[in-house]
């Protein structure tokens, strides 16, 4: 249930970003940020496996910005 709360700030930020940047550039920025977080997560995998809190935050943070699409 707590994991679903990660979508609330993403929907608000995505709405403002879409108004400011437009839908095409907002989507491109979201895909780029998800790729960056994917590389960070793969680099820190051994540490994220042992610390579940860090894994939950790093796994769900990119979804903040894709929750409005």
């Amino acid at each position: 249930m707590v994991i679903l709360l990660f979508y609330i700030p993403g929907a608000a930020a995505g709405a403002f970003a879409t108004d400011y940047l437009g839908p095409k550039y907002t989507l491109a920025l979201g895909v780029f940020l998800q790729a960056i977080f994917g590389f960070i997560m793969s680099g820190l995998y051994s540490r994220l496996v042992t610390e579940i809190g860090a894994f939950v935050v790093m796994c769900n943070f990119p979804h903040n910005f894709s929750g409005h699409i």
Side-chain angles (χ1 to χ4, degrees):
M1 187 66 168
V2 175
I3 293 174
L4 296 176
L5 293 176
F6 281 93
Y7 287 108
I8 294 171
F16 289 117
T18 302
D19 285 341
Y20 183 72
L21 297 173
K24 180 171 58 172
Y25 292 116
T26 303
L27 181 62
L29 180 65
V31 169
F32 177 74
L33 290 176
Q34 282 187 340
I36 295 298
F37 273 95
F39 285 124
I40 291 171
M41 285 181 64
S42 64
L44 297 174
Y45 180 74
S46 61
R47 188 168 184 190
L48 291 175
V49 171
T50 59
E51 298 177 22
I52 192 67
F55 178 76
V56 169
V57 170
M58 287 297 290
C59 186
N60 288 303
F61 188 76
H63 296 283
N64 283 343
F65 300 105
S66 65
H68 72 284
I69 297 173

